[in-house]
Amino acid sequence: MELPALPWTGGCQCGALRFTITGPPLTLYACHCTECRRQSASLHGLSLWVREAHFRLTGVPAKWTRDTDSGRRTDCFFCPDCGSRLWHKGSGEPDHPLSAILSVKAGLLDIAHLLGPVGHIWTRSAMAGAAIPDDLLTCDRQPESFDALIEAFNERYRIAEA
Ligand SMILES: [Zn+2]
Ligand SMILES: [Zn+2]
């Protein structure tokens, strides 16, 4: 499936914060863990992995930090006016392989209607009736590696040349 040429844009519900993605995202998956469910106040979180160098923001976000099960910390950025969560980023471990990757909340993209998750993780805590298509990758908890999700994204989507 072909996606529009970069950059992609998006923003919070009230429009005070707008962002631009200037480089190809790595993957997009749905997370059914209880943290993501509370964060999204819905069925699941949606994580679009974007390299930090490929993300530009206009506006001033607020930040909340939480501990994760793996013992790391996650900085969670949101709009102080309307409360939309915009992205998460691991903090406190600059050498961690994911420290330069942002998990952007994909439902905020202006092209969100064109793309969907290539996998679902933490399905063991999914809400009753959550539809998880058979043809997508699934993991009943946190995957040991995200390589398969990255590969599946690259197989499913091609980004048009600018
Ligand atoms: Zn807002
Ligand atoms: Zn989660």
Side-chain angles (χ1 to χ4, degrees):
M1 190 183 291
E2 188 170 80
L3 297 173
L6 294 159
W8 296 345
T9 54
C12 68
Q13 197 174 6
C14 78
L17 299 181
R18 293 289 298 168
F19 62 80
T20 303
I21 293 171
T22 61
L26 284 80
T27 190
L28 170 59
Y29 61 87
C31 182
H32 295 259
C33 81
T34 53
E35 295 285 351
C36 285
R37 201 168 62 229
R38 288 197 185 103
Q39 176 265 305
S40 66
S42 184
L43 281 178
H44 53 66
L46 274 175
S47 288
L48 181 74
W49 281 14
V50 174
R51 291 185 200 284
E52 196 165 19
H54 293 157
F55 187 81
R56 309 254 183 284
L57 180 77
T58 55
V60 182
K63 184 177 89 168
W64 173 67
T65 302
R66 71 170 176 88
D67 295 322
T68 67
D69 291 340
S70 61
R72 302 179 65 220
R73 290 175 71 70
T74 295
D75 288 334
C76 307
F77 294 88
F78 60 95
C79 175
D81 293 330
C82 72
S84 300
R85 192 69 66 85
L86 274 85
W87 78 94
H88 293 172
K89 178 181 187 289
S91 72
E93 279 182 76
D95 295 333
H96 192 282
L98 297 183
S99 67
I101 294 178
L102 308 182
S103 167
V104 179
K105 302 298 127 195
L108 302 175
L109 283 171
D110 296 330
I111 60 154
H113 58 295
L114 297 177
L115 80 175
V118 296
H120 289 248
I121 69 172
W122 282 103
T123 55
R124 69 207 304 254
S125 47
M127 277 179 83
I132 299 170
D134 294 339
D135 57 336
L136 298 187
L137 295 169
T138 59
C139 186
D140 72 346
R141 58 195 74 208
Q142 184 82 357
E144 277 174 32
S145 161
F146 284 82
D147 290 355
L149 288 164
I150 291 171
E151 223 169 273
F153 186 82
N154 286 325
E155 270 167 28
R156 174 154 10 143
Y157 294 115
R158 209 181 69 76
I159 299 174
E161 298 292 327

